[in-house]
Amino acid sequence: MGLSNDDRALLAARRASILAAMGEGVMLLPAATELIRSGDTHFPFRQDSDFGYVTGFPEPDAVAVLAVGGANPYALFVRPRDPEQAVWVGPRAGVEGAVADYDANVAYLLSDLEKELLAWLGKANQVFLPFGRDDALTRRLHTLIRYANAQRPRTGAGPTVMRDAGEILHELRLTKSPAEVTRLRETIAIAAEAHREAMRTVRPGMHEYEVEALIDGIFRRRGASGPAYPSIVASGANATILHYTANDRPLGADELLLIDAGSERAGYCADVTRTFPTGRRYSPAQRDLYDAVLAAQLAAIGAARPGTTLDALHATATRVLSEALIALGLLEGSVDEVVEQEKYKRFYMHRTSHWLGRDVHDVGQYKLGDTPRALEPGMVFTVEPGLYVPADADDVAEPFRGIGIRIEDDVLVTPGGVEVLSAAVPKQVEEIETLRAAAQA
């Protein structure tokens, strides 16, 4: 329990940046709360990403306070130590551990929140609070803010402005520090191993859930906390369902298997997708669509560099896909017409990229006003074009029906270009077919 020296220094510098960006006032950050799964069983706990980014404190039901200009700029409200509870689920840091092990300047019991927090709120003219939260702990904070505001006529001070903490935190989180990039490399390496092992192992007749168990098992064996999101193991026409997670179908022969799976380790997420044949080789129709998606992905990655935008990468990918869809007879018209009228959306309906970090769909503005945001070194994002032909698309040549393909990599912006962090996962047809042949030898 407790922070490493490296984490202490990283978190202290991070909090200093937040305090400097605040200018004045206080920031209140609630931890995640435990959620009941059924009866007295809880869902696995995962810390709130913003709270964890600022504090490193791993427990639920806590509140962090950052206050500009005070004697104690960083405070934690936490649950008390409880020897009886420790027997059942483990020890808590308590007030003592919050200071000694997690570097709070001062700490209080969460039960004293109403009594102690007003001392900060009564002096602050503005309060930063996450706008996306609506739970009992956050509502408790809202009640205290309203109370402090109501005291202004008598005290002459108190909050009059409430701002989204994400204005500051999400801008900081968008650009990854070297330590964060290291953690991303670690979790992406785990995900890469799982994808490679699936390519070496999968055979027709297995169930999708067996493949899911293989992947998720490697995540845990390699030290990840588990999957960063429910693993998608979609065979045949199931791959045309973008967020398919039932994972209960047996794998047929000579069809495609789409695996979208990423691990989470030390609070950072991987997000990788590959699509490969359940047999030894891609069929001609499968190969045609796969080549189109791969060409679109490689073109988008090739266009990525500091100064360009995710909108520009999406435009690159959609144009390559549109050209292929016309050439293969799935769409009619000129490339300009298909792109401008968005006809491609029948077979490619999602965006090409999203930010990646502590969350799979990580925080950060995609536009600044009306202008798409330019990529900068330290940003991490996905590139994941796809094609999805419904099984009941009667106006499409039969060999293409029921095929879903997505290829997704995790990409870091560097000063001179980009680095594909998930490059260890094969995606060239020859590499994949070599692995598939070995799997069925």
Side-chain angles (χ1 to χ4, degrees):
M1 181 180 291
L3 301 171
S4 68
N5 289 335
D6 286 345
D7 282 342
R8 287 176 189 268
L10 176 66
L11 290 164
R14 194 173 283 166
R15 288 191 292 270
S17 297
I18 295 167
L19 288 164
M22 287 167 58
E24 55 186 356
V26 298
M27 181 179 288
L28 308 180
L29 297 174
T33 59
E34 291 183 302
L35 298 175
I36 297 293
R37 183 179 184 273
S38 65
D40 61 353
T41 302
H42 292 80
F43 282 104
F45 177 73
R46 194 221 188 241
Q47 187 57 276
D48 176 83
S49 293
D50 283 339
F51 182 89
Y53 178 79
V54 173
T55 70
F57 191 72
E59 297 180 19
D61 300 320
V63 173
V65 182
L66 297 181
V68 176
N72 295 309
Y74 170 43
L76 281 174
F77 288 83
V78 301
R79 301 175 303 174
R81 288 181 174 172
D82 185 339
E84 182 176 348
Q85 175 269 352
V87 172
W88 292 91
V89 295
R92 297 172 180 169
V95 170
E96 303 86 353
V99 174
D101 299 323
Y102 294 96
D103 287 355
N105 300 125
V106 63
Y108 303 94
L109 294 177
L110 186 65
S111 57
D112 291 333
L113 186 67
E114 283 72 11
K115 180 177 71 174
E116 300 291 347
L117 186 57
L118 288 174
W120 277 283
L121 293 176
K123 300 174 184 177
N125 66 335
Q126 65 177 349
V127 180
F128 293 85
L129 188 74
F131 279 11
R133 293 279 299 270
D134 182 21
D135 53 77
L137 188 53
T138 304
R139 290 192 291 272
R140 196 170 162 187
L141 295 174
H142 276 284
T143 298
L144 287 169
I145 294 167
R146 286 194 295 269
Y147 180 82
N149 172 262
Q151 300 307 301
R152 281 183 58 82
R154 293 184 180 275
T155 64
T160 59
V161 176
M162 189 162 68
R163 297 173 61 181
D164 184 7
E167 289 181 39
I168 295 172
L169 297 183
H170 296 175
E171 285 299 294
L172 291 174
R173 284 177 54 188
L174 180 56
T175 302
K176 276 59 180 179
S177 68
E180 290 179 288
V181 171
T182 295
R183 289 187 174 178
L184 281 164
R185 290 185 190 280
E186 291 170 351
T187 191
I188 292 168
I190 294 171
E193 180 179 328
H195 278 271
R196 290 195 303 270
E197 186 60 24
M199 290 180 184
R200 288 192 291 259
T201 303
V202 163
R203 290 175 175 78
M206 294 176 68
H207 282 75
E208 292 166 341
Y209 54 73
E210 294 179 76
V211 183
E212 178 186 16
L214 169 72
I215 290 167
D216 292 358
I218 290 173
F219 291 168
R220 288 297 286 144
R221 256 197 330 271
R222 285 287 311 275
S225 57
Y229 51 92
S231 296
I232 296 170
V233 182
S235 60
N238 287 341
T240 65
I241 303 170
L242 299 185
H243 290 163
Y244 171 81
T245 56
N247 297 350
D248 58 4
R249 178 181 178 272
L251 309 186
D254 301 320
E255 61 186 16
L256 295 183
L257 178 63
L258 185 157
I259 298 176
D260 185 340
S263 52
E264 180 175 355
R265 186 176 187 277
Y268 288 81
C269 301
D271 189 4
V272 180
T273 307
R274 291 293 187 266
T275 309
F276 59 88
T278 58
R280 291 171 177 261
R281 297 184 178 279
Y282 294 89
S283 73
Q286 292 168 354
R287 176 69 185 265
D288 285 341
L289 293 180
Y290 187 90
D291 284 346
V293 175
L294 181 60
Q297 200 222 22
L298 292 175
I301 293 173
R305 62 183 60 85
T308 191
T309 68
L310 295 186
D311 277 9
L313 304 189
H314 180 65
T316 297
T318 54
R319 189 166 191 88
V320 173
L321 290 174
S322 296
E323 291 170 351
L325 289 168
I326 294 168
L328 295 172
L330 277 74
L331 290 176
E332 295 181 349
S334 68
V335 175
D336 288 341
E337 178 184 341
V338 167
V339 170
E340 290 168 8
Q341 297 180 18
E342 298 185 330
K343 291 183 178 180
Y344 62 82
K345 282 191 172 181
R346 182 185 177 191
F347 304 112
Y348 178 47
M349 59 292 296
H350 59 79
R351 300 288 291 181
T352 301
S353 300
H354 60 76
W355 306 127
L356 181 69
R358 293 186 74 91
D359 293 314
V360 176
H361 287 250
D362 209 25
V363 295
Q365 296 286 99
Y366 289 90
K367 287 187 175 182
L368 300 176
D370 294 329
T371 304
R373 180 169 212 145
L375 295 177
E376 299 176 11
M379 293 178 175
V380 179
F381 62 96
T382 64
V383 179
E384 49 177 306
L387 287 174
Y388 314 91
V389 184
D392 60 357
D394 295 336
D395 59 335
V396 171
E398 194 279 332
F400 293 119
R401 297 177 199 166
I403 293 178
I405 297 169
R406 183 164 61 253
I407 306 171
E408 177 180 20
D409 279 303
D410 303 336
V411 179
L412 168 69
V413 184
T414 66
V418 295
E419 177 187 353
V420 179
L421 300 176
S422 50
V425 189
K427 61 183 176 184
Q428 295 293 338
V429 168
E430 294 75 14
E431 295 178 279
I432 291 172
E433 289 187 342
T434 297
L435 284 175
R436 295 304 300 136
Q440 301 186 57

